[in-house]
Amino acid sequence: MSQNTRTNHDPSRLTVKGREVRLRTIAMGVIAVLAIWFIAVNTTSVTITLWVSDVTMPLWVVLTVTILVGMLIGAFLARRRAARKSARS
């Protein structure tokens, strides 16, 4: 049987204006800004087919709902993964 050995190390960090900031935090900030910009420039109305009916709404609403649903799914999966990881320990 082999054991999974991992070395404990601190996540990558940068110093910004005298404060240490994780690279993951900076990356998430950049992604959030790009997502908001993308939503802001897509303002035309679109027609979406939802199984039975067609719905016409502004594209920014569709994009916002899509991002929020994606964030909820991501949070759910991260929480589930953390629970499974703590159960193994």
Side-chain angles (χ1 to χ4, degrees):
M1 255 191 283
S2 66
Q3 289 182 329
N4 186 4
T5 58
R6 272 190 158 167
T7 59
N8 289 335
H9 66 280
D10 290 332
S12 299
R13 296 177 184 269
L14 289 175
T15 303
V16 178
K17 295 185 180 181
R19 293 180 54 187
E20 284 195 10
V21 181
R22 290 173 52 178
L23 288 178
R24 184 186 327 182
T25 304
I26 294 171
M28 291 304 292
V30 169
I31 290 170
V33 168
L34 289 174
I36 291 168
W37 172 78
F38 187 73
I39 289 170
V41 298
N42 287 291
T43 57
T44 59
S45 290
V46 293
T47 301
I48 299 172
T49 303
L50 302 172
W51 293 282
V52 178
S53 63
D54 291 341
V55 178
T56 301
M57 64 180 71
L59 183 56
W60 70 267
V61 173
V62 176
L63 293 170
T64 302
V65 169
T66 303
I67 287 175
L68 291 175
V69 169
M71 289 172 60
L72 286 172
I73 291 170
F76 171 75
L77 293 176
R79 194 172 181 188
R80 183 175 173 209
R81 182 177 182 184
R84 290 173 78 192
K85 190 174 183 179
S86 67
R88 286 187 208 165
S89 300

